[in-house]
Amino acid sequence: MNLTHFNDKGRARMVDVGDKSQTDRVAVARGYILMAEKTIETVKNGGIKKGDVLSVAQVGGIMGAKKTWDLIPMCHNILIDGADINFTVDSDRIWVEAKVRTTGKTGIEMEALTAVSVACLSIYDMCKAIDKKMIIGDIKLIRKTGGKSDFSLGE
Amino acid sequence: MNLTHFNDKGRARMVDVGDKSQTDRVAVARGYILMAEKTIETVKNGGIKKGDVLSVAQVGGIMGAKKTWDLIPMCHNILIDGADINFTVDSDRIWVEAKVRTTGKTGIEMEALTAVSVACLSIYDMCKAIDKKMIIGDIKLIRKTGGKSDFSLGE
Amino acid sequence: MNLTHFNDKGRARMVDVGDKSQTDRVAVARGYILMAEKTIETVKNGGIKKGDVLSVAQVGGIMGAKKTWDLIPMCHNILIDGADINFTVDSDRIWVEAKVRTTGKTGIEMEALTAVSVACLSIYDMCKAIDKKMIIGDIKLIRKTGGKSDFSLGE
Amino acid sequence: MNLTHFNDKGRARMVDVGDKSQTDRVAVARGYILMAEKTIETVKNGGIKKGDVLSVAQVGGIMGAKKTWDLIPMCHNILIDGADINFTVDSDRIWVEAKVRTTGKTGIEMEALTAVSVACLSIYDMCKAIDKKMIIGDIKLIRKTGGKSDFSLGE
Amino acid sequence: MNLTHFNDKGRARMVDVGDKSQTDRVAVARGYILMAEKTIETVKNGGIKKGDVLSVAQVGGIMGAKKTWDLIPMCHNILIDGADINFTVDSDRIWVEAKVRTTGKTGIEMEALTAVSVACLSIYDMCKAIDKKMIIGDIKLIRKTGGKSDFSLGE
Amino acid sequence: MNLTHFNDKGRARMVDVGDKSQTDRVAVARGYILMAEKTIETVKNGGIKKGDVLSVAQVGGIMGAKKTWDLIPMCHNILIDGADINFTVDSDRIWVEAKVRTTGKTGIEMEALTAVSVACLSIYDMCKAIDKKMIIGDIKLIRKTGGKSDFSLGE
């Protein structure tokens, strides 16, 4: 099995997608940030005010999706058609789900995964003064369509 | 309990650290990317060549640490004195540990956590053609020193 | 009336333009920076040398247009086909007009407005040592074509 | 009168501040975005939900302040100690006031002015689908302290 | 002979390519970094380990190609379809050759030249502690295809 | 001889400068872009207008110096105190000399070399429509002071 990101000398390259055609692609990724119950409470209580933790994380995650090409070394720069993030607040964690869409020659899953990661890191940043034991986890691709083959985690 | 990142109108702000003094600060963060055994094998075999997956992820993670201020909405821009990343390859996952140091008025834990996240995302990007079920997880702060209070996860 | 930039939970999203077709779009924006008469004189006199205030602002504004997607949280990244800026020096202010063109699924007015803003801020930066009372104002869209509907301010 | 941003050949330079000492500096800037009354109403009504227009603009403005060095050609990169933005919603316009602080060799007024500009542009972006005649104006420095000389607009 | 990057007032503009059609474009650029023989030896010996100088420079050069639009003032932002870099180690210099591909309205030669420049600068950075007399040179376009006219240096 | 940019596993790291003290550092770098005589003539003739090739390259080079930390993988981010670029136009080439200054724990030579490289690439971009055989060369450090040891090329 070979990794397409390496040339015949074994060095990294940006894979050539020049011969692929543009298709409508969607990817959904998900993850969570685990935190103490009282941290969750503080986030929730802040949530009734304008400008709460989750709306800052929402902006951070969407802007992060747009920077994916600049963060991930071998990632192509692509035009994002749309991006959205949804949070679900559980008793001990906040679930983050990002859906990103493009019309392009190569996929959008890295943008969705980056949006989730940056949203989680943004929450971490705002809560770290009161909770130093938070854990970001379970970041994975849920589904993608529009590429060479569709994928669904089948949860 | 209040979140210091919000002003008296409940809107986000970049916390004022102007009255704090500069100290020597170090943070260590850790996480993993879980993958199929044959993906691990492919990464390992690629590893004997120059320019392997992990050295690209190393560069991605270190450059990511330098971009933390631009990714995390309320994060301060700081000068990084040094950054290093170490990988430990297990049978079903690759552990990523980042250590970052600064001399500054505010901490460096977000830089360490961002380095781990971007390194994991970089590995994901290079392996996603052969494994769509990878999971990035357990990203957390292991220890930090030099701030108002030291922290150690005590593992 | 609803703002399309918010999802059904009231949180910000990058509007999905995936179903729109690519069209040739042009936007023109304008604004000014008001300054003391002797500041205007200094800018004008500098203007006979190479590398004057306005040519630095020209470069700043055009490079700023290219960064619009990274500055404005919910703005799409698009490919700019061309960008130009023109200055008109009055007795008490410098008018800045930017014209930007794209072939894309969504408009170019933010790029034109950002070009004007950054050009004005660049002038401000270079003149602030001699004039602290400058005012940037009247930044608005003059006309745009190529989107769902054309617009002209009808001045 | 000379502009310090130009060298003896008349070409732009980044002014040398190497011999200046670091001081605690604060700058406040203000501006507004003028809009139709029904646009103001829509912003206000959205404002009762989480993630409203103004909290996105708040994040945009603060992140914009951090990018000032990269936007304004001859601007120094500095470390921002803190940044905050306040909005005042009038019947026909939204006032934006930014306060930014640094400990550095050179001033922070460009960061405050850029925060105001980017916050206004962010509001524009989210409201432009319902109002194409908005005007961004009256962006100016209100006061600054900590530099060679203090300044106050004396309103 | 006129330079197309200047408008009728003699100020710089981003050339309007809106009327051009998208074509498949490839550019190859080359250059070298000259260094002391013992520096070459150190690079070579490091080369048997993972994460050597050249694989860091490979990543730097490819990521640099993606930033070309942000570095070169009047350069268009384009979507890169693929990028690869090859090194040839001579007794007194390392040759760097970059090949970049796009499907776009305007060329890709600046991306190839920037990739070579940034790869050379990255090598310089890692070797400068042991060699302060390195020279980066002979950076030029070798060939390009897919634009208005093809070009080959005919070496 | 060891390269300090690699850890004990042979992977790249950002060298730890945390224990070094801040000093006043200056670096000067130089290089040229070789071009056809008629290209030189066109640049010179454009030079009598405002916004000529060299003033765009001046801005590009200075802004490039500020981005060095983001371009060169293992480079530290530092605060630039001042930057200037001078051009000397010969019959067949344009010499570019950059002088950059910082107060920091680590040197400024990469910023000077990057300024020269980006200025040369900017000139290349604006002249490439009329000359495809330009060569960027002889980019080297001329002198630096303020670090562990001073250096002068002794030309």
Side-chain angles (χ1 to χ4, degrees):
Chain A
M1 204 153 43
N2 287 315
L3 294 175
T4 52
H5 280 86
F6 294 88
N7 64 23
D8 53 15
K9 291 192 178 169
R11 291 200 189 281
R13 63 175 174 186
M14 212 172 135
V15 176
D16 188 343
V17 299
D19 293 328
K20 298 173 77 174
S21 56
Q22 288 197 328
T23 55
D24 179 11
R25 292 159 187 265
V26 174
V28 176
R30 193 191 296 151
Y32 63 70
I33 177 166
L34 188 83
M35 42 179 65
E37 281 184 34
K38 64 176 187 180
T39 312
I40 290 274
E41 284 310 307
T42 304
V43 170
K44 273 189 186 162
N45 293 341
I48 56 172
K49 295 185 191 172
K50 287 172 281 178
D52 65 335
V53 169
L54 299 186
S55 62
V56 176
Q58 178 102 0
V59 176
I62 288 174
M63 294 182 83
K66 293 193 280 183
K67 291 181 212 284
T68 303
W69 64 272
D70 191 40
L71 272 183
I72 311 299
M74 296 302 137
C75 209
H76 292 79
N77 57 336
I78 58 176
L79 301 180
I80 296 179
D81 280 347
D84 200 358
I85 294 181
N86 275 287
F87 299 100
T88 309
V89 182
D90 255 358
S91 59
D92 66 344
R93 72 196 66 197
I94 299 170
W95 290 91
V96 181
E97 186 173 301
K99 182 180 175 182
V100 191
R101 186 178 178 188
T102 191
T103 309
K105 295 184 173 185
T106 181
I108 189 91
E109 56 263 56
M110 292 317 301
E111 280 72 14
L113 290 157
T114 301
V116 171
S117 297
V118 176
C120 287
L121 289 166
S122 301
I123 295 172
Y124 194 111
D125 179 46
M126 287 178 280
C127 296
K128 70 181 192 294
I130 60 169
D131 189 349
K132 284 171 182 55
K133 295 189 170 176
M134 291 176 288
I135 299 176
I136 296 172
D138 208 26
I139 298 180
K140 62 190 173 193
L141 184 66
I142 300 300
R143 64 182 175 85
K144 79 182 187 82
T145 56
K148 207 167 59 183
S149 60
D150 287 354
F151 170 78
S152 173
L153 196 62
E155 288 194 319
Chain B
M1 206 153 42
N2 285 317
L3 295 174
T4 52
H5 280 86
F6 294 88
N7 63 22
D8 54 14
K9 292 192 177 169
R11 292 201 188 279
R13 63 174 174 186
M14 211 170 136
V15 177
D16 188 342
V17 299
D19 294 328
K20 297 174 77 174
S21 56
Q22 288 197 329
T23 54
D24 179 11
R25 293 158 187 267
V26 174
V28 176
R30 194 191 295 151
Y32 64 68
I33 177 166
L34 188 83
M35 43 179 64
E37 281 185 32
K38 66 177 187 182
T39 312
I40 290 273
E41 284 310 306
T42 304
V43 169
K44 272 188 186 163
N45 293 340
I48 56 172
K49 295 184 190 172
K50 286 172 281 178
D52 64 336
V53 169
L54 299 187
S55 61
V56 176
Q58 178 101 1
V59 177
I62 288 174
M63 295 182 81
K66 294 193 279 183
K67 291 180 213 284
T68 303
W69 65 271
D70 191 41
L71 273 183
I72 311 299
M74 296 303 137
C75 209
H76 292 79
N77 57 335
I78 57 175
L79 300 180
I80 297 179
D81 281 347
D84 200 359
I85 294 180
N86 275 288
F87 300 100
T88 308
V89 183
D90 255 357
S91 59
D92 66 344
R93 72 196 66 195
I94 298 171
W95 291 91
V96 181
E97 186 173 302
K99 183 180 174 182
V100 191
R101 186 177 177 189
T102 191
T103 308
K105 294 184 173 184
T106 181
I108 189 90
E109 56 262 56
M110 293 317 300
E111 280 72 15
L113 290 157
T114 301
V116 171
S117 298
V118 176
C120 287
L121 288 166
S122 300
I123 295 172
Y124 194 111
D125 180 47
M126 287 178 280
C127 297
K128 71 181 191 294
I130 61 168
D131 189 348
K132 282 170 183 56
K133 295 188 171 178
M134 291 176 289
I135 299 175
I136 295 171
D138 207 25
I139 298 180
K140 61 189 173 195
L141 184 66
I142 300 300
R143 64 183 175 85
K144 77 180 188 84
T145 56
K148 207 167 56 181
S149 59
D150 288 353
F151 170 78
S152 173
L153 197 61
E155 289 196 317
Chain C
M1 205 154 41
N2 286 315
L3 294 174
T4 52
H5 280 86
F6 294 88
N7 63 24
D8 53 16
K9 292 193 178 168
R11 293 200 187 281
R13 63 174 174 185
M14 210 171 136
V15 176
D16 189 343
V17 300
D19 293 328
K20 298 174 76 173
S21 56
Q22 288 197 328
T23 55
D24 179 11
R25 294 158 186 266
V26 175
V28 177
R30 194 192 295 153
Y32 63 69
I33 177 166
L34 188 83
M35 42 179 67
E37 280 186 34
K38 66 177 184 179
T39 312
I40 291 272
E41 283 310 306
T42 305
V43 170
K44 272 188 184 161
N45 293 342
I48 57 172
K49 295 186 189 171
K50 286 171 282 177
D52 65 335
V53 169
L54 299 186
S55 61
V56 176
Q58 178 101 1
V59 176
I62 289 174
M63 294 183 82
K66 293 193 278 183
K67 291 181 213 283
T68 302
W69 64 272
D70 191 41
L71 272 184
I72 311 300
M74 298 301 137
C75 208
H76 292 79
N77 57 335
I78 58 175
L79 301 180
I80 297 179
D81 281 346
D84 200 358
I85 295 180
N86 275 287
F87 299 100
T88 309
V89 183
D90 255 359
S91 60
D92 66 345
R93 71 196 67 197
I94 299 171
W95 290 92
V96 181
E97 186 172 301
K99 181 180 175 182
V100 191
R101 186 177 178 189
T102 191
T103 309
K105 294 184 172 185
T106 181
I108 189 93
E109 56 264 55
M110 293 316 302
E111 280 72 16
L113 290 157
T114 301
V116 170
S117 298
V118 176
C120 287
L121 288 166
S122 301
I123 295 171
Y124 194 110
D125 179 46
M126 287 177 280
C127 297
K128 70 181 191 295
I130 60 169
D131 190 348
K132 283 170 183 54
K133 296 189 170 177
M134 291 176 290
I135 299 175
I136 295 172
D138 208 25
I139 298 180
K140 61 189 173 193
L141 184 66
I142 301 300
R143 64 183 174 84
K144 77 181 188 85
T145 56
K148 206 168 56 182
S149 60
D150 288 354
F151 169 79
S152 173
L153 197 61
E155 288 195 321
Chain D
M1 206 154 39
N2 286 316
L3 294 175
T4 52
H5 280 85
F6 294 88
N7 63 23
D8 53 15
K9 292 194 177 167
R11 292 200 188 280
R13 64 175 173 185
M14 210 170 136
V15 176
D16 189 343
V17 299
D19 294 327
K20 298 174 77 174
S21 56
Q22 287 196 329
T23 55
D24 179 11
R25 293 157 187 268
V26 174
V28 177
R30 195 191 295 153
Y32 63 69
I33 176 166
L34 188 83
M35 42 179 67
E37 281 185 33
K38 66 177 184 180
T39 312
I40 290 274
E41 284 310 307
T42 305
V43 170
K44 273 188 187 163
N45 293 341
I48 57 171
K49 295 186 191 172
K50 286 171 282 178
D52 65 336
V53 169
L54 298 187
S55 61
V56 176
Q58 177 102 359
V59 176
I62 288 174
M63 294 182 82
K66 294 193 277 184
K67 291 181 213 282
T68 304
W69 64 272
D70 191 41
L71 272 183
I72 312 299
M74 297 302 137
C75 208
H76 292 79
N77 57 334
I78 59 175
L79 300 180
I80 296 180
D81 280 346
D84 200 359
I85 295 180
N86 275 287
F87 299 101
T88 309
V89 182
D90 255 358
S91 60
D92 67 345
R93 72 196 66 197
I94 298 171
W95 290 91
V96 181
E97 186 173 301
K99 181 180 175 182
V100 191
R101 185 177 178 190
T102 192
T103 308
K105 294 185 173 185
T106 181
I108 189 92
E109 56 263 56
M110 293 316 300
E111 280 73 15
L113 291 156
T114 301
V116 171
S117 298
V118 176
C120 287
L121 288 166
S122 301
I123 295 172
Y124 194 110
D125 179 46
M126 286 177 279
C127 296
K128 70 181 192 295
I130 61 169
D131 189 348
K132 284 171 183 52
K133 295 189 171 178
M134 292 175 289
I135 299 176
I136 295 171
D138 208 24
I139 297 180
K140 61 188 174 194
L141 185 66
I142 300 300
R143 63 181 174 87
K144 77 181 187 84
T145 56
K148 207 167 57 184
S149 59
D150 287 353
F151 170 79
S152 173
L153 197 61
E155 288 196 320
Chain E
M1 203 154 42
N2 285 316
L3 294 175
T4 52
H5 280 86
F6 295 88
N7 64 23
D8 54 14
K9 291 193 177 167
R11 292 200 188 280
R13 64 174 173 185
M14 209 172 137
V15 176
D16 189 343
V17 300
D19 293 328
K20 298 174 76 172
S21 55
Q22 288 198 327
T23 55
D24 179 11
R25 294 158 187 266
V26 174
V28 177
R30 193 192 295 152
Y32 64 69
I33 177 165
L34 188 84
M35 42 179 67
E37 280 185 34
K38 66 177 186 180
T39 312
I40 291 273
E41 283 310 307
T42 304
V43 170
K44 272 188 187 163
N45 293 340
I48 56 172
K49 295 185 190 173
K50 286 172 281 177
D52 65 335
V53 169
L54 299 186
S55 62
V56 176
Q58 178 102 1
V59 176
I62 288 174
M63 294 182 83
K66 293 193 278 183
K67 291 181 213 283
T68 303
W69 64 270
D70 191 41
L71 273 183
I72 311 299
M74 297 300 138
C75 208
H76 291 79
N77 57 335
I78 59 176
L79 301 180
I80 297 180
D81 280 347
D84 200 359
I85 295 181
N86 275 287
F87 299 101
T88 309
V89 183
D90 255 359
S91 60
D92 66 346
R93 74 196 65 196
I94 298 170
W95 290 92
V96 181
E97 186 172 303
K99 181 179 175 182
V100 191
R101 186 177 177 188
T102 191
T103 308
K105 294 184 173 185
T106 181
I108 189 93
E109 56 263 55
M110 292 317 300
E111 281 73 13
L113 290 157
T114 301
V116 170
S117 297
V118 176
C120 287
L121 289 166
S122 300
I123 296 172
Y124 194 110
D125 179 46
M126 286 177 279
C127 297
K128 69 180 192 296
I130 61 169
D131 189 349
K132 284 173 181 52
K133 295 190 171 176
M134 291 176 288
I135 299 175
I136 295 172
D138 208 25
I139 297 180
K140 61 190 173 193
L141 185 66
I142 300 300
R143 64 183 175 84
K144 76 180 188 86
T145 56
K148 206 167 58 183
S149 59
D150 287 353
F151 169 78
S152 172
L153 197 61
E155 288 195 318
Chain F
M1 206 154 40
N2 287 316
L3 293 175
T4 52
H5 280 86
F6 294 89
N7 63 23
D8 53 15
K9 291 192 178 169
R11 293 201 186 280
R13 63 175 174 186
M14 211 171 138
V15 177
D16 189 343
V17 299
D19 294 327
K20 298 174 78 174
S21 56
Q22 288 197 329
T23 55
D24 179 11
R25 293 158 186 267
V26 174
V28 177
R30 194 191 294 152
Y32 63 70
I33 177 167
L34 188 84
M35 42 178 65
E37 280 183 34
K38 66 176 185 180
T39 311
I40 290 274
E41 283 310 307
T42 304
V43 170
K44 273 189 187 161
N45 294 341
I48 56 172
K49 294 185 190 172
K50 286 172 281 178
D52 64 337
V53 169
L54 298 187
S55 62
V56 176
Q58 177 101 2
V59 176
I62 288 174
M63 295 182 82
K66 293 193 278 183
K67 290 179 213 284
T68 303
W69 64 272
D70 191 40
L71 272 183
I72 311 299
M74 297 302 137
C75 209
H76 291 79
N77 56 334
I78 58 175
L79 301 180
I80 297 179
D81 281 346
D84 199 359
I85 294 180
N86 274 288
F87 299 100
T88 308
V89 183
D90 255 358
S91 59
D92 67 344
R93 72 195 66 196
I94 299 171
W95 290 92
V96 181
E97 186 173 301
K99 181 179 175 182
V100 191
R101 185 177 178 190
T102 191
T103 308
K105 295 185 172 186
T106 181
I108 189 92
E109 57 262 55
M110 293 316 301
E111 281 72 15
L113 291 158
T114 301
V116 171
S117 297
V118 176
C120 287
L121 288 166
S122 301
I123 295 172
Y124 194 110
D125 179 46
M126 286 177 280
C127 296
K128 70 181 192 295
I130 62 169
D131 189 348
K132 284 171 182 55
K133 295 188 171 177
M134 291 175 289
I135 299 175
I136 295 172
D138 208 25
I139 297 180
K140 61 189 174 195
L141 185 66
I142 300 301
R143 64 181 174 87
K144 77 182 187 84
T145 56
K148 205 167 59 182
S149 60
D150 286 354
F151 169 78
S152 173
L153 197 62
E155 287 195 319

